[in-house]
Amino acid sequence: RVGVLSDTHNRLRPRVLELLAGCDRLLHAGDVGEPEILEKLRRIAPLEAVRGNWDTGPLAVLPETLLGSIGEIGGRGGLPFGMVHRREDVPPDWPKRLRLIVCGHSHRPELSWRGDCLLLNPGFGVALLRSRPFRPYTALRLDGACGRGSLGHLPPESAAGTRDDPA
């Protein structure tokens, strides 16, 4: 199980941390906020992150891009993936040679195909920005080599506090 986040902007809802519990690996697609966010996530599972446009100071050491693989597929290694903060910065050869691309920045969840490559943007990791509610958690389940996925979200936070999903 892999948890994917982006654009936390120095905030993690307790419910998100609960939902990430049990993950074998976490991916953060940038705009972390502060190093403490990464520390909290590392307590849950091994974490890989890329630098977003908000990530300065101690977070400026995060890489701009990351390549890796997820899990074993039929004993042939893992699902090759790449991660970058802005979709516009995806190298042109990635959709041809990878099966999954993770990005953030737009604050809009997206799950779409580019040929045989699945593009995932988990959406915005902060509950309120510019007085608009956002859903900060996205779950992706990869089914074998086909990489089928689905998105699911927490309810938005209200001005008075947080609301958790009924599940």
Side-chain angles (χ1 to χ4, degrees):
R1 196 171 136 199
V2 178
V4 182
L5 306 100
S6 71
D7 300 279
T8 49
H9 294 275
N10 206 34
R11 182 150 179 218
L12 282 174
R13 289 173 61 186
R15 182 66 176 139
V16 172
L17 293 173
E18 289 173 19
L19 290 166
L20 292 173
C23 284
D24 302 308
R25 184 177 186 181
L26 299 176
L27 302 176
H28 194 301
D31 280 357
V32 173
E34 295 291 334
E36 292 78 21
I37 295 295
L38 296 179
E39 291 170 20
K40 286 180 183 180
L41 294 171
R42 283 187 187 109
R43 286 186 212 124
I44 295 170
L47 170 70
E48 295 173 273
V50 294
R51 181 174 61 240
N53 54 294
W54 278 47
D55 297 325
T56 59
L59 295 177
V61 301
L62 291 172
E64 290 185 18
T65 63
L66 181 96
L67 292 170
S69 63
I70 297 173
E72 291 289 323
I73 300 173
R76 299 177 301 150
L79 181 83
F81 80 92
M83 185 165 59
V84 63
H85 182 59
R86 293 173 2 117
R87 181 180 183 175
E88 298 82 12
D89 296 331
V90 170
D93 66 321
W94 279 15
K96 295 175 192 139
R97 66 185 182 101
L98 302 175
R99 294 298 312 273
L100 174 66
I101 296 172
V102 177
C103 60
H105 187 65
S106 71
H107 301 179
R108 288 186 298 273
E110 180 180 359
L111 187 64
S112 63
W113 288 96
R114 294 174 85 181
D116 290 332
C117 184
L118 187 62
L119 176 68
L120 169 65
N121 183 332
F124 193 42
V126 179
L128 295 173
L129 178 71
R130 298 185 196 105
S131 300
R132 291 179 10 198
F134 291 90
R135 296 173 170 95
Y137 171 80
T138 298
L140 172 68
R141 169 177 283 163
L142 294 174
D143 297 324
C146 63
R148 292 185 184 132
S150 61
L151 295 174
H153 308 286
L154 286 177
E157 289 186 354
S158 68
T162 63
R163 270 187 354 205
D164 284 335
D165 56 339

